[in-house]
Amino acid sequence: MIDKQINSVAQAVADIKDGSTIMIGGFGEAGSPIELIHALIDQGAKNLTVVSNNTGSGHVGLAALINNKQVSKMICSFPKSANSKVFPELYKKGQIELELVPQGTLAERIRAGGAGIPAFYTATSVNTTLAEGKEIREFDGQIYVMEHGIKADYSLVKCKAGDRYGNLIYNKTARNFGPIMCTAAETSIVQAEKLLELGAIDPEHVVTPGIFVKRLIIVPNPAAESQLVSEDRRYP
Amino acid sequence: MTSKGIVEGWDRAQMAQRAALDIQDGAYVNLGIGIPEMVAGFVPAGREVIYHTENGLLGMGPTPEPGQENQELINAGKKPVTAISGACYFHHADSFMMIRGRHIDVCVLGAMQVSKDGDLANWSTGAPDAIPAVGGAMDLVAGVKTIYVITQHITKKGDSKIVENCTYPLTGKGVVNRIYTNLAVIDVNQDGLMLRELAPGITLEFVKEKTDATLNIHPDLR
């Protein structure tokens, strides 16, 4: 029998080791798996490399993980936003490393990682500082830069609903990095608001096929990051 | 006009309105944050335009009514939006496939500097203490078929944003097709910059004085 359900967020992240590379879904708060991130703070793994589009807001979720000194390196496209304070402070003090990647290159590097593609060429960032030191190659008279696929040990993803096979559906623009991060991690860990019976998701409508999901945790009423930030909440 | 003057000519809404005239019926369009976002409100009636937001929505609609916001339905600026009938959601790799695979027709962006060759700088001042953040800007200029820039002609300090060569780090080289400023509409073509239109009350001499790059003058300058 296949049942990817795990009983608690604590159990879901229990085996994450120091030094792991972890992909964390979300574009701003949309799709950010706050409960899984908070479980990782409780768990305490350190020296993590985190791949995520942003660096979190206020002092909850990803920002709290960074604030707890568990992250040594961020790979992201936009490490600042209106309410991001933690990362900018640590970065200015030289206490956290940043690999800045254009957003589409970041998405494609994750996709490539999940597809077994070690590297690819793209026109994005050619003739800019972000292409410095990278292999440049011409195809049909156009200049491209080589970028490497990214794989992770774990990914933490939030979705709307899933079944015990791990088939997933998402909610609106909260889908963002979730589907590709599920494919690029050795162990993908997904929090869903709702468990559905097998067959309840029309096979035509499955967004992430269950083969890409290792662990599924039901979190019925996930916290809204912006609300926690507006209340100036902190984790832990 | 004061010595620092930046408020003559078109205002922000009028710049967006002028750019909107160039958005064709049936176009797939990506709008940047700031003045570019305002373009959607001015596209002439009778043109059906589909707006793409790179966080994963094709068919973005206007800002929701107060109380109708959904934090999982946002635009690239992380602001609540709506989805039109016929909209679709997709993940980030698909969204940037639309951009990088040259499927989006027009992108309208802001700028810190644009050069005579169409080089664009709009992501970083390069200052050593700045937190670098690029987002999707480099993908958009590399992949979208037509790149329009809307920007004030000069900075608050009085420096021209239209320059011979950008001094800020580039977003892309030779990528801009047309520039809409508060003073003028300027095309970028193989021979450099071509002044096409002047804002009401703005003289040719004034635009030349406020531009730190050579301007060719279109024979039908309006």
Side-chain angles (χ1 to χ4, degrees):
Chain A
M1 170 162 174
I2 297 173
D3 189 354
K4 297 188 176 175
Q5 262 200 98
I6 302 281
N7 290 326
S8 70
V9 286
Q11 208 182 326
V13 302
D15 61 350
I16 295 180
K17 293 177 184 63
D18 289 0
S20 297
T21 295
I22 303 183
M23 293 179 175
I24 301 184
F27 179 85
E29 74 170 306
S32 182
I34 291 198
E35 284 73 13
L36 283 172
I37 299 170
H38 287 175
L40 183 56
I41 292 173
D42 296 341
Q43 192 261 19
K46 288 196 164 40
N47 194 25
L48 304 172
T49 294
V50 170
V51 183
S52 193
N53 192 62
N54 308 102
T55 59
S57 290
H59 293 86
V60 294
L62 178 54
L65 183 73
I66 295 169
N67 197 43
N68 207 35
K69 306 286 169 69
Q70 289 176 259
V71 182
S72 54
K73 180 179 179 181
M74 282 299 311
I75 301 177
C76 72
S77 88
F78 208 84
K80 59 184 180 190
S81 58
N83 289 314
S84 74
K85 298 182 176 69
V86 172
F87 178 86
E89 273 182 37
L90 289 179
Y91 181 76
K92 283 183 181 172
K93 288 186 206 159
Q95 292 177 358
I96 190 165
E97 196 185 334
L98 170 66
E99 181 178 340
L100 188 73
V101 184
Q103 202 170 332
T105 296
L106 182 65
E108 190 64 14
R109 288 180 64 188
I110 296 166
R111 194 197 73 84
I117 296 169
F120 58 90
Y121 291 90
T122 177
T124 295
S125 90
V126 167
N127 286 312
T128 76
T129 53
L130 296 189
E132 282 170 8
K134 294 176 181 170
E135 184 187 320
I136 298 290
R137 197 166 156 185
E138 190 177 317
F139 296 92
D140 300 325
Q142 282 264 24
I143 306 294
Y144 297 85
V145 58
M146 188 176 80
E147 297 281 0
H148 290 262
I150 313 178
K151 288 188 199 172
D153 299 303
Y154 296 88
S155 61
L156 307 183
V157 165
K158 178 186 173 188
C159 75
K160 184 176 180 182
D163 64 27
R164 67 177 172 87
Y165 282 180
N167 296 310
L168 307 178
I169 55 172
Y170 296 80
N171 187 38
K172 303 183 169 63
T173 57
R175 181 182 306 190
N176 56 65
F177 285 91
I180 51 174
M181 286 183 170
C182 284
T183 70
E186 187 62 38
T187 302
S188 55
I189 306 173
V190 178
Q191 67 171 76
E193 289 183 42
K194 199 174 171 188
L195 181 72
L196 298 173
E197 291 296 313
L198 292 181
I201 309 172
D202 184 332
E204 294 280 9
H205 298 166
V206 170
V207 177
T208 290
I211 193 170
F212 298 124
V213 174
K214 288 287 196 309
R215 299 176 189 166
L216 180 69
I217 310 92
I218 304 305
V219 178
N221 295 299
E225 184 182 281
S226 54
Q227 191 174 341
L228 298 181
V229 171
S230 71
E231 294 166 1
D232 201 24
R233 298 271 284 275
R234 285 167 179 261
Y235 198 88
Chain B
M1 174 66 70
T2 67
S3 59
K4 288 184 176 181
I6 53 167
V7 291
E8 296 287 334
W10 283 310
D11 65 19
R12 289 162 56 92
Q14 288 168 327
M15 290 158 70
Q17 190 167 15
R18 174 60 195 87
L21 295 177
D22 294 336
I23 307 289
Q24 301 305 312
D25 186 32
Y28 290 96
V29 176
N30 183 295
L31 301 175
I33 296 164
I35 305 176
E37 281 177 286
M38 299 164 69
V39 169
F42 293 109
V43 171
R47 297 184 195 175
E48 193 165 32
V49 174
I50 305 282
Y51 296 99
H52 172 264
T53 180
E54 62 266 29
N55 52 314
L57 166 62
L58 194 60
M60 178 172 62
T63 304
E65 296 295 325
Q68 298 299 304
E69 298 90 349
N70 179 338
Q71 293 306 326
E72 298 205 325
L73 178 47
I74 58 175
N75 65 12
K78 305 191 176 86
K79 299 279 194 313
V81 293
T82 51
I84 64 167
S85 287
C88 51
Y89 301 111
F90 32 81
H91 62 64
H92 248 68
D94 278 354
S95 187
F96 280 88
M97 184 189 293
M98 294 174 194
I99 293 169
R100 293 152 66 108
R102 303 194 79 78
H103 304 285
I104 306 286
D105 297 303
V106 177
C107 178
V108 188
L109 288 166
M112 292 157 68
Q113 288 176 326
V114 185
S115 84
K116 66 177 191 312
D117 301 315
D119 301 351
L120 174 67
N122 78 345
W123 72 283
S124 168
T125 60
D129 61 336
I131 310 286
V134 64
M138 288 185 183
D139 305 288
L140 287 161
V141 299
V144 174
K145 293 175 198 166
T146 301
I147 302 292
Y148 293 149
V149 161
I150 300 185
T151 180
Q152 302 295 339
H153 204 95
I154 53 181
T155 67
K156 286 174 184 165
K157 286 182 180 169
D159 297 326
S160 175
K161 292 178 136 196
I162 319 292
V163 294
E164 284 287 311
N165 294 293
C166 295
T167 53
Y168 291 133
L170 292 187
T171 309
K173 198 168 175 57
V175 294
V176 176
N177 299 100
R178 179 169 266 201
I179 312 163
Y180 306 88
T181 78
N182 54 317
L183 303 182
V185 178
I186 301 167
D187 279 345
V188 184
N189 56 35
Q190 287 190 328
D191 305 318
L193 301 173
M194 175 71 79
L195 183 64
R196 297 295 302 257
E197 291 178 35
L198 297 169
I202 299 298
T203 64
L204 173 59
E205 287 64 35
F206 186 75
V207 172
K208 279 185 170 172
E209 182 195 319
K210 295 293 180 189
T211 305
D212 281 349
T214 307
L215 285 175
N216 299 312
I217 314 301
H218 196 276
D220 299 327
L221 177 70
R222 288 190 284 153

